Amino acid sequence: MHTRWYRQLWVFLRSREGFGALLIAAFSAIALGIVPNMLQKLWDSGWLYLAVFLVATVTVVLGWILHRERGVGVIIQMFPLLPTETGRLEALLAASAKNHSSTLFIRPTLLQPDGELLAPPARTDLVANLIDARVAEQTRNGQEGNVTIYPLAQMRDGFLLGQRLADDRAKTFTVMHVSANRNTVLPSVKLATHLTSPLTPEQQALLNNCLKQPDAPVAPVAHPNCPPEHRHRLAFIVRLSRGDTMTSDARHVAETGHVRLPSGRHTGYVFDHEHPDTPTPPCGAHFIVEASTDYLPETQLTFESIATHLYRTWTVARDKWQAESGSPDIETRLFLMTPLPISMALGWLMSRTNADVAHHDFRIARQSTPISEAP
């Protein structure tokens, strides 16, 4: 159905851009119209005219701020949501519509051509290509190419997406985060070179309040029973949110390669989706970083400080294990329980390294029944 022109005009004027254009038009006329009077009154008293002129000029600038392009918002939903999770998506959609001139919504169906889910690297590559195409369209039209990402993804997909976005160093990516109460969307991490800078005293003090012994010496724990052919593998276990068994489960998988505990309970770590009980090669050593609180402060300073700390800690652990094991090329397997933006930041920082994230399926972990309790 065709919308009449006056209705289109009314909708535009009610928008942020339309209101800004109206301010520019109205107060530009006022500002320009008062200049001749200011010149005539200059030798008498031009203060009143000057004040009105300044107010009109400031209002024009305000109108420009409202009317200007505000970059691209990209909502990335990489898995189907449960009915209880739709509030997170609605919050992201509302935030992007409020903050940006245009929004690219990447739905899960786009990542399933012919009804088959793409492999994780192919999924993230497709997402990054879609982002590149939208940004190229924006810049061709003379608009800003800044990208703000609103992600809904699992840890491994977030890490891989961060790795892929590191190839686009010329762009600025800001990653948003849905707060714990799922009502507020906050900026969490900016993927830029400042993440590789030394920590400031403020950041170090923040880490002391959030992490367990962040200043302790980095010393990977060796696994004596690891076969020699797997000693080059290092497990980096990071638990930054509440998870009673996450650390012990990840350590068990890293030491033995088995995804089930001796009790029969499945840890939730899956390395073959068709056969969830398939083991994985063990690691020669592991290193653990844990939060000292159940919930991290949801600020950009906190998330970026922790991402920088994790990257620097992993670098030291890798170098030490390389020297101790004598392996020229260390392969890192990350076991992550972190806010998604931190996983993306780690992927961005570790893009040039031999590292991957172990996929964790909460559904398998919750449905698992120990052998001793099986009927």
Side-chain angles (χ1 to χ4, degrees):
M1 180 179 178
H2 179 69
T3 304
R4 296 185 181 275
W5 67 268
Y6 54 84
R7 290 187 179 274
Q8 296 179 5
L9 177 61
W10 175 243
V11 171
F12 173 70
L13 292 177
R14 290 177 60 188
S15 68
R16 175 172 177 161
E17 290 79 6
F19 183 64
L22 186 62
L23 289 179
I24 293 173
F27 284 89
S28 293
I30 293 174
L32 294 175
I34 206 168
V35 169
N37 291 328
M38 285 180 58
L39 295 175
Q40 293 176 7
K41 295 289 185 178
L42 186 62
W43 300 109
D44 298 331
S45 175
W47 292 111
L48 174 62
Y49 294 95
L50 179 61
V52 175
F53 174 74
L54 290 176
V55 169
T57 302
V58 169
T59 308
V60 170
V61 173
L62 175 61
W64 174 81
I65 292 174
L66 293 173
H67 183 64
R68 70 186 177 93
E69 297 294 335
R70 293 162 289 146
V72 181
V74 181
I75 297 175
I76 304 172
Q77 182 190 349
M78 299 190 73
F79 58 87
L81 296 176
L82 298 174
T84 56
E85 298 176 315
T86 56
R88 297 168 62 191
L89 178 59
E90 292 172 356
L92 295 179
L93 287 168
S96 182
K98 177 182 178 182
N99 295 328
H100 307 288
S101 304
S102 65
T103 295
L104 171 63
F105 184 12
I106 301 177
R107 304 172 184 269
T109 52
L110 290 175
L111 309 178
Q112 295 179 311
D114 300 325
E116 294 186 7
L117 185 65
L118 295 174
R123 285 202 303 270
T124 53
D125 193 53
L126 176 57
V127 169
N129 287 336
L130 290 171
I131 294 173
D132 290 342
R134 173 55 66 89
V135 172
E137 179 184 357
Q138 293 282 107
T139 53
R140 279 197 302 269
N141 295 329
Q143 301 172 6
E144 290 183 0
N146 295 334
V147 181
T148 302
I149 297 176
Y150 299 79
L152 286 174
Q154 295 171 330
M155 290 295 104
R156 188 183 187 193
D157 285 334
F159 182 86
L160 292 174
L161 182 58
Q163 284 186 315
R164 175 59 177 79
L165 294 178
D167 294 336
D168 298 327
R169 296 275 174 155
K171 300 185 182 69
T172 299
F173 296 100
T174 300
V175 183
M176 305 297 280
H177 169 69
V178 183
S179 66
N181 60 19
R182 298 185 179 180
N183 292 326
T184 308
V185 179
L186 306 168
S188 58
V189 170
K190 181 170 287 188
L191 302 180
T193 54
H194 69 284
L195 294 176
T196 61
S197 301
L199 293 169
T200 66
E202 181 185 8
Q203 289 177 308
Q204 192 62 56
L206 189 151
L207 294 178
N208 292 335
N209 292 328
C210 295
L211 303 180
K212 293 182 179 179
Q213 300 179 326
D215 295 327
V218 177
V221 180
H223 305 158
N225 296 326
C226 180
E229 64 268 23
H230 297 308
R231 277 179 57 81
H232 68 286
R233 304 175 74 245
L234 172 68
F236 190 42
I237 302 171
V238 181
R239 184 193 63 78
L240 299 181
S241 54
R242 187 174 181 178
D244 297 335
T245 63
M246 183 272 173
T247 303
S248 59
D249 287 355
R251 190 171 62 243
H252 171 78
V253 175
E255 290 179 355
T256 68
H258 298 299
V259 296
R260 286 188 181 270
L261 300 173
S263 67
R265 179 175 66 82
H266 202 294
T267 60
Y269 290 103
V270 178
F271 300 92
D272 184 335
H273 290 280
E274 294 184 0
H275 305 92
D277 285 344
T278 301
T280 185
C283 298
H286 73 267
F287 187 76
I288 299 173
V289 175
E290 290 189 283
S292 57
T293 60
D294 287 341
Y295 301 100
L296 297 174
E298 295 179 313
T299 66
Q300 184 169 343
L301 180 63
T302 300
F303 283 21
E304 291 186 347
S305 301
I306 291 177
T308 298
H309 172 74
L310 292 176
Y311 176 66
R312 298 172 76 85
T313 299
W314 165 79
T315 301
V316 174
R318 179 201 57 187
D319 292 346
K320 286 191 174 182
W321 185 240
Q322 185 176 41
E324 184 175 341
S325 66
S327 302
D329 183 23
I330 299 298
E331 177 185 339
T332 304
R333 169 155 285 162
L334 292 97
F335 297 82
L336 298 179
M337 182 177 281
T338 74
L340 179 59
I342 293 180
S343 177
M344 291 183 64
L346 273 178
W348 190 87
L349 288 163
M350 299 171 67
S351 62
R352 303 291 187 266
T353 64
N354 190 1
D356 192 15
V357 174
H359 173 65
H360 188 267
D361 193 322
F362 286 99
R363 294 170 300 178
I364 292 178
R366 284 194 291 260
Q367 295 171 2
S368 176
T369 303
I371 294 175
S372 59
E373 299 177 9

